[in-house]
Amino acid sequence: MSKVLLLFAHPSQDRSEINRPLFKEAKKIAGVTAVDLYAEYPSFRINVDREQQRLREHQVVIFMFPLYWYSTPAILKEWQDLVLEYGFAYGSEGKELQGKTFLCSLTAGGAASAYRKGGYNHYQIWELLRPLEQTANLTGMHYLPPFALFGSRTAVDEGRLPEHIQHWRSLLEALVSDSLAIEHVAPNELLNHQLEQIIKEGA
Amino acid sequence: MTLYFLQALIYLCAAVIAVPLAKRLGLGSVLGYLIAGVFIGPIAGLVGAETNDIQHFAEFGVVMMLFLVGLELEPKMLWEMRSRLIGLGGLQVSLTTLAVMGIAMLLGQSWTISLAIGLIFALSSTAIVLQTFNEKGLGKTEGGGGAFSVLLFQDIAVIPILALLPLLALPELVEAAAHGAEHLAEHHEELSLVAGLPAWAYALVVIASVVLVVVGGHFLTRPLLTYVASAGLREIFTAAALGLVIGIAALMSLVGLSPALGTFLAGVVLANSEFRHELESNIEPFKGLLMGLFFITVGAGVDFGILFSSLGTILGLSLGLMLIKILILLALTPAFKLQGTDRWLFALSLAQAGEFGFVLLSYSVQQNVLPVELTQTLSLAVAISMFLTPALFILYDKLIVPRYEQTENEREADEIEETGTVIVAGIGRFGQIVNRFLVANGVNTVVLDHQAGQVDLMRRINIKSYFGDATNPDLLHTAGIEQAKLMVVAIDDHARVNQVVEYVKHAYPHVKVMARAYDRGHAYELRRLGADFVVTEAYYSALELGGQALSSLGYHPFKSEQLKNAFDQVEKDNRDTLYQSWLNATEDNRFTPHYRELFMQMELLLGDAMKVDRADKHSMTERGWTPPPKDYLDDFKDPQDT
C-alpha cells in the first residue's frame, strides 16, 4: 500500500472540462490525498510546514495541471520554490523525498501531433517537462513519464473523456496498491498509453 | 501705550473666558463674544466710548469674511447647488424681506426704512447655525443641506445689499450728517479718486477697477503668490495674503465701492487656484479675531437703558421676527422635498437674525439709512433672536426628533418582495461594500436597516433595501432567513450585533453568520455566540495601510506584502489561544493579566517573524525563496569529478 499525494493546480476551474472530473474521480479513491492548491492557498501564502509534512506522509507525488506555456500554472512553481527547501528536499541533509515516485498528470490544448519536431510546439512533451524530471532526479524521486491528454479543448465533444477517466482510475488504483511495474515503464511514451503493459495482473 | 495693553487685555480676557463657556453651554461662539461684550461694557463698565472706534476697525473682519466666502464658492459647486441655492435661498430672502417690510410699514415706518429692516432681518446667522450643525452632526442631513444653501445664498446676497443700502439713505439724515461733518471736512477729507469726477468718468473708473480685480486676481496673483511661496517663509505668505485683501479693500474704497464686494470678487476669482487653502488658512485667524472683536463691541454697545425701557417691544420684535421666518421657511419646504425632521430642522435653525445684521445695521447708520436710536432697538432684537437659537435647537432635539423617530421607526417594516440567498443586516459603510461586492457577482441579497433615512438613501442609488430591525425575529422570517444560506451582520450597535448573531445561530443553525466586530473583545464575544466568521472592522484596512507605509519607507513592495502576511499569520496562529484565555476569564474582567501575557508573547513572536536576513536559519518571512547556504555546492559532486 502506498499513499498518493495529488497536488492539483488549476486557476480557472469553472472553465475546466477535463481536470475537474479527473480531480473529482481521484477524491473517491481511498489512499489518494487530493489537494486543490488554488483553493487552499488562494493568495499564494503556502504553508511550508504543512506541505512538507504532507510529502513525508506520502510515497507517490502527482502534479496535476493544465499545461500553461509548456509548464505548470504559477502556484505549482511557487509550491516548488517554497516547499522543496535546502535541507529538506536537497543538500547533504535533505533526503526527505528520496525513494518516492513522482509524475505529472496534465492536459494540453494542442494536438498530440503538435508536440514533436516539426510540429508547431516543436518539442515532445517529455522534453518540455525536463525541469520537473530533473527536480525529481535531484531530490531522489523516481520520475515517471506524464499521464497526459492532448487536444483537451475538444476531448469532451469527441467523447474521449470517459476512457481517460477510466485510465486515470486504474493508474491511481495501481499506484495505491503498488501494482505498477515501474521497472517496465518506457520513458518516452505517455503513461496512459502503456498502462496495460505495466499494471501487474491480480495485484 | 500702557492703556492700549490694558484694553487689549480686557478684550482678550473677556473672550477667552466667555467664548469657551458659551460653547460648552451650547450657545456657540458668536453668542460667547456678545456675552463677553455685554459683560465688559454695560455690566462691568470696563470699556467705554472707544468701542465705537474699535468697532469700525473690527468691521474689516467682515471684508475678510467675504473674501473667505468667495474663496469657498467654487463655480462648480455653486452650479450643482443652483436649484436649492437660488430657489430656497432666493425665496427665503425675498419673502422674508417683503413680510418684514410690510409689517414695518404697517407700524408706521417709511418704505426705505422698512425695506432696510426687511433686508437686514432676512439674513440668518451663518456662524451660529453652521457651528451648531457641526457640533451636532446635522450638516449631512437633508435639512442641514437645505439650510446651508440658504445661508450661502444669504452670504452672497450681502454684496448686493451693501450696494443697495446707500440708495435708501434718508435725505434728512444725510443733511444732518453733512451739516455735522462740515466743520470737520477741512482736515478730515475722505481720500478719494473719484471725488469731483463727472458721472460717465466715475462709471468708467468703477468698471475699470472691477475688471482690474477680476483680471488681476486671475492672472497676476498666481505668479505673485508662486514667487512668494518659493521663498518658503510662512510669515511672508501671510503678509502677501493680507496685503492682497487690504489692497483690494483700499482700491475699492478709493473708487467709492464697497471693500467687501471687491474682496468677495477676488475670493471667487481665486477659488479655483492652487493657493485657495493656503490663503484661507492665513486669513482665517485674522478674520476670526476681528469678527470676535466686532461681536464684542456689539455686546459692549448694548444699552441696558433701552433694553429695559422697551423690553416688551424688543422681545416682541424678536419673537415676531422668528415666527415670521419660521412660517416662511416651513412654507418653502414642500416645494423642495424637505420632510419630517428635516423640514423642522431647516425651519427652526434659520429662524434667527444673524451677525450680518449687526454689520448691516452699523453700515446703515453710516450711510444715513436708519436713525441711530432705531438701530439700537433693532440690534437688540437681532441679539435676542440669536440668544434664542440654542433654545430652538433644544426644542428640535427634545420635541421634534422623538416625535418623528417614533413615527419613522415605528413605520411599518417594509413589505419584503423577495427572498435572497444572503441577508445583509446594516447597510452603513461596512454593509454597503459587502453588499455591492455580492450584488456585483450576481448574488441575491436582501438588505435590512433600521434607519429609515439610510434605507431611503440606498433606494435612491438603486440598492434594494428594506426598513426594519434585524433583531426582530418576525422581520428575519419575512426576509427569508429559513431559505438563506448566510447572513452578514454589519450593524454598528454592539449589543444589537450580538443579539442578531445569537438569535440566528440559535434558531437557524444552518445559516452561516458572518459578523463585523468593533474590536478584539467584541470579536471574541461574537465567536462565543456562534458566529461562523468574524472580522474586526479596522484590522485589514489597518494592515493594508501598514504595508503601504513599509513600501513608502523603501521596502520592496513584495517584501512588505510578505511581512504583512507574516503578521497576519502570527495573528491567526495565536487567535485560538487568546480566545481561550479570554473565554476562561471572569465575566467582568475579560482581559486578565494572563490574557495580556499571552498578548505580549504574541508581540514577541511578531518581532521574530519580522526579522530578516537570517540566511541559514529560516524565519517565517524568509521561509520563502531562501537561497541555499553559500557552501552548498559541496553537497554535489558531478560523477566525472570523482
Side-chain angles (χ1 to χ4, degrees):
Chain A
M1 278 294 286
S2 287
K3 289 184 77 184
V4 175
L5 177 62
L6 178 66
L7 297 169
F8 174 44
H10 196 314
S12 64
Q13 290 179 29
D14 49 341
R15 288 188 296 184
S16 165
E17 293 175 13
I18 311 293
N19 278 294
R20 218 154 47 135
L22 287 186
F23 185 66
K24 213 170 139 195
E25 194 63 27
K27 283 206 259 188
K28 294 182 197 157
I29 298 171
V32 176
T33 309
V35 175
D36 179 348
L37 284 177
Y38 275 106
E40 238 170 79
Y41 306 113
S43 47
F44 277 52
R45 287 160 62 177
I46 289 169
N47 184 334
V48 176
D49 287 328
R50 178 162 158 210
E51 292 304 312
Q52 291 183 346
Q53 190 53 34
R54 274 182 175 153
L55 285 171
R56 287 189 190 99
E57 288 165 1
H58 293 82
Q59 291 75 49
V60 180
V61 180
I62 304 179
F63 282 5
M64 177 176 171
F65 54 93
L67 195 67
Y68 275 33
W69 285 112
Y70 312 109
S71 181
T72 66
I75 203 169
L76 261 175
K77 181 66 166 71
E78 187 85 341
W79 184 93
Q80 295 167 50
D81 295 349
L82 291 168
V83 179
L84 305 182
E85 282 180 313
Y86 178 81
F88 172 82
Y90 69 110
S92 55
E93 303 294 319
K95 298 183 182 345
E96 295 283 0
L97 301 181
Q98 286 188 2
K100 295 186 195 294
T101 302
F102 175 82
L103 68 105
C104 295
S105 162
L106 63 96
T107 58
S113 55
Y115 288 89
R116 60 179 161 82
K117 202 169 171 72
Y120 65 82
N121 283 323
H122 197 74
Y123 297 102
Q124 293 182 301
I125 190 68
W126 31 86
E127 293 180 272
L128 294 171
L129 294 178
R130 282 282 144 75
L132 286 168
E133 181 175 355
Q134 177 50 25
T135 301
N137 285 343
L138 189 80
T139 56
M141 292 194 284
H142 195 91
Y143 181 79
L144 296 182
F147 176 90
L149 180 73
F150 293 102
S152 58
R153 301 300 295 158
T154 52
V156 172
D157 294 344
E158 292 163 11
R160 290 186 277 132
L161 181 59
E163 190 200 22
H164 194 63
I165 291 181
Q166 187 52 44
H167 286 160
W168 177 237
R169 200 177 166 79
S170 33
L171 171 66
L172 289 176
E173 281 167 354
L175 284 167
V176 170
S177 60
D178 298 320
S179 50
L180 202 68
I182 289 176
E183 61 282 6
H184 293 142
V185 172
N188 290 346
E189 197 179 338
L190 295 182
L191 207 52
N192 32 331
H193 289 174
Q194 47 177 316
L195 287 176
E196 279 181 23
Q197 294 88 305
I198 56 175
I199 295 179
K200 297 177 213 162
E201 287 303 319
Chain B
M1 200 63 186
T2 319
L3 193 66
Y4 283 122
F5 283 143
L6 281 176
Q7 273 185 358
L9 184 67
I10 289 170
Y11 278 101
L12 290 173
C13 279
V16 166
I17 294 169
V19 174
L21 201 66
K23 277 204 73 174
R24 183 160 300 182
L25 294 174
L27 297 174
S29 61
V30 174
L31 288 178
Y33 285 119
L34 286 175
I35 295 169
V38 170
F39 188 79
I40 60 174
I43 291 183
L46 293 172
V47 291
E50 79 280 4
T51 50
N52 251 338
D53 300 332
I54 296 177
Q55 184 167 1
H56 289 315
F57 172 66
E59 269 166 21
F60 192 63
V62 178
V63 173
M64 288 180 159
M65 182 152 158
L66 281 163
F67 179 67
L68 295 176
V69 169
L71 272 185
E72 292 285 344
L73 294 183
E74 271 182 89
K76 202 173 127 231
M77 185 184 85
L78 284 181
W79 183 247
E80 277 164 12
M81 297 175 59
R82 63 191 181 280
S83 78
R84 285 206 157 177
L85 193 67
I86 296 170
L88 263 185
L91 284 173
Q92 187 271 338
V93 171
S94 48
L95 291 180
T96 314
T97 305
L98 287 177
V100 173
M101 181 182 170
I103 291 171
M105 283 172 78
L106 283 182
L107 291 174
Q109 298 289 351
S110 74
W111 73 269
T112 51
I113 291 183
S114 305
L115 178 57
I117 297 175
L119 288 170
I120 290 166
F121 277 3
L123 305 179
S124 309
S125 170
T126 310
I128 293 185
V129 177
L130 288 192
Q131 199 170 349
T132 315
F133 281 175
N134 273 342
E135 285 161 11
K136 295 184 185 286
L138 293 167
K140 293 267 178 276
T141 60
E142 279 288 300
F148 180 74
S149 332
V150 172
L151 290 169
L152 193 57
F153 181 86
Q154 293 178 349
D155 287 353
I156 301 171
V158 169
I159 305 294
I161 294 177
L162 283 174
L164 183 66
L165 279 177
L167 304 179
L168 301 176
L170 295 172
E172 62 270 24
L173 285 180
V174 175
E175 208 166 277
H179 187 73
E182 233 164 40
H183 52 97
L184 288 171
E186 282 91 44
H187 47 259
H188 199 264
E189 196 171 336
E190 273 279 305
L191 213 51
S192 173
L193 280 180
V194 289
L197 280 183
W200 61 268
Y202 177 63
L204 270 187
V205 171
V206 167
I207 293 170
S209 32
V210 171
V211 169
L212 178 68
V213 168
V214 173
V215 176
H218 196 78
F219 293 104
L220 294 182
T221 46
R222 282 179 177 190
L224 171 75
L225 292 174
T226 312
Y227 167 74
V228 171
S230 68
L233 292 169
R234 220 192 130 75
E235 67 274 20
I236 293 302
F237 195 93
T238 308
L242 271 181
L244 186 70
V245 174
I246 292 176
I248 292 167
L251 173 70
M252 289 291 129
S253 312
L254 280 176
V255 300
L257 283 179
S258 144
L261 171 68
T263 51
F264 174 78
L265 272 181
V268 174
V269 170
L270 288 169
N272 271 333
S273 87
E274 63 273 37
F275 294 106
R276 176 181 159 196
H277 294 292
E278 191 66 21
L279 284 169
E280 256 177 13
S281 64
N282 276 299
I283 297 292
E284 183 73 46
F286 292 105
K287 169 232 141 189
L289 276 178
L290 286 174
M291 288 306 285
L293 190 57
F294 177 77
F295 294 133
I296 292 183
T297 58
V298 170
V302 166
D303 190 329
F304 272 83
I306 297 182
L307 179 61
F308 290 122
S309 64
S310 49
L311 188 63
T313 323
I314 290 167
L315 275 180
L317 274 177
S318 300
L319 294 176
L321 169 67
M322 292 170 85
L323 189 66
I324 291 171
K325 292 186 94 165
I326 290 177
L327 289 177
I328 289 175
L329 290 163
L330 282 179
L332 288 176
T333 49
F336 292 90
K337 300 201 178 71
L338 290 167
Q339 295 157 341
T341 49
D342 287 322
R343 179 167 184 238
W344 284 100
L345 176 64
F346 173 73
L348 293 181
S349 63
L350 297 176
Q352 76 295 104
E355 57 272 15
F356 273 120
F358 298 127
V359 177
L360 293 178
L361 281 172
S362 75
Y363 183 71
S364 302
V365 173
Q366 287 166 32
Q367 298 294 326
N368 309 310
V369 180
L370 297 176
V372 183
E373 309 79 52
L374 184 60
T375 56
Q376 282 187 329
T377 316
L378 293 177
S379 62
L380 281 171
V382 171
I384 301 277
S385 76
M386 287 167 79
F387 270 107
L388 289 176
T389 302
L392 288 184
F393 274 106
I394 292 169
L395 188 77
Y396 170 79
D397 277 342
K398 295 277 183 286
L399 266 175
I400 308 234
V401 173
R403 213 181 89 204
Y404 277 91
E405 220 164 41
Q406 254 178 6
T407 54
E408 265 180 32
N409 283 350
E410 269 176 22
R411 123 187 174 196
E412 277 292 291
D414 288 344
E415 195 73 8
I416 296 174
E417 299 143 15
E418 55 184 304
T419 54
T421 35
V422 177
I423 296 176
V424 179
I427 190 72
R429 322 166 269 142
F430 196 95
Q432 271 176 43
I433 297 176
V434 178
N435 189 58
R436 276 168 54 207
F437 182 66
L438 292 177
V439 170
N441 284 295
V443 177
N444 233 342
T445 63
V446 173
V447 174
L448 307 174
D449 201 293
H450 74 289
Q451 281 180 312
Q454 188 70 13
V455 171
D456 289 343
L457 203 67
M458 289 299 111
R459 290 207 156 181
R460 218 170 300 159
I461 52 172
N462 284 335
I463 293 178
K464 204 171 264 179
S465 40
Y466 297 98
F467 168 76
D469 185 350
T471 55
N472 175 0
D474 290 339
L475 188 84
L476 286 177
H477 172 75
T478 39
I481 186 88
E482 286 91 349
Q483 292 88 41
K485 285 220 176 69
L486 66 90
M487 172 151 184
V488 177
V489 186
I491 307 173
D492 269 326
D493 188 82
H494 192 124
R496 294 162 71 95
V497 177
N498 293 7
Q499 210 178 324
V500 175
V501 170
E502 186 169 20
Y503 173 73
V504 174
K505 278 323 277 186
H506 174 75
Y508 308 99
H510 69 279
V511 177
K512 263 199 159 56
V513 173
M514 309 196 155
R516 162 182 71 155
Y518 175 73
D519 58 11
R520 215 174 260 278
H522 191 203
Y524 297 145
E525 281 171 34
L526 291 172
R527 185 169 166 182
R528 190 184 47 168
L529 292 172
D532 296 277
F533 179 80
V534 179
V535 66
T536 314
E537 60 178 11
Y539 177 73
Y540 284 105
S541 36
L543 199 53
E544 183 66 25
L545 193 141
Q548 284 295 332
L550 280 189
S551 300
S552 304
L553 290 173
Y555 282 62
H556 188 281
F558 189 64
K559 183 79 188 176
S560 353
E561 189 69 21
Q562 293 310 305
L563 292 168
K564 241 164 61 185
N565 291 345
F567 183 98
D568 192 36
Q569 197 58 48
V570 173
E571 276 276 346
K572 284 193 173 125
D573 292 345
N574 288 277
R575 197 167 284 167
D576 289 347
T577 329
L578 286 170
Y579 172 63
Q580 282 307 328
S581 161
W582 178 88
L583 206 57
N584 294 336
T586 52
E587 191 68 47
D588 50 333
N589 183 17
R590 287 286 185 190
F591 296 99
T592 55
H594 176 64
Y595 180 93
R596 282 201 292 276
E597 200 175 294
L598 286 173
F599 190 82
M600 294 312 291
Q601 271 173 26
M602 181 172 78
E603 290 298 298
L604 286 179
L605 285 174
L606 269 183
D608 285 347
M610 296 294 143
K611 280 197 188 106
V612 290
D613 279 339
R614 293 192 295 173
D616 288 74
K617 193 181 170 225
H618 297 306
S619 73
M620 280 286 301
T621 55
E622 283 293 291
R623 189 60 179 270
W625 313 281
T626 321
K630 301 219 157 157
D631 57 352
Y632 90 114
L633 286 180
D634 300 345
D635 294 351
F636 300 95
K637 296 264 174 6
D638 276 341
Q640 60 260 41
D641 290 351
T642 48

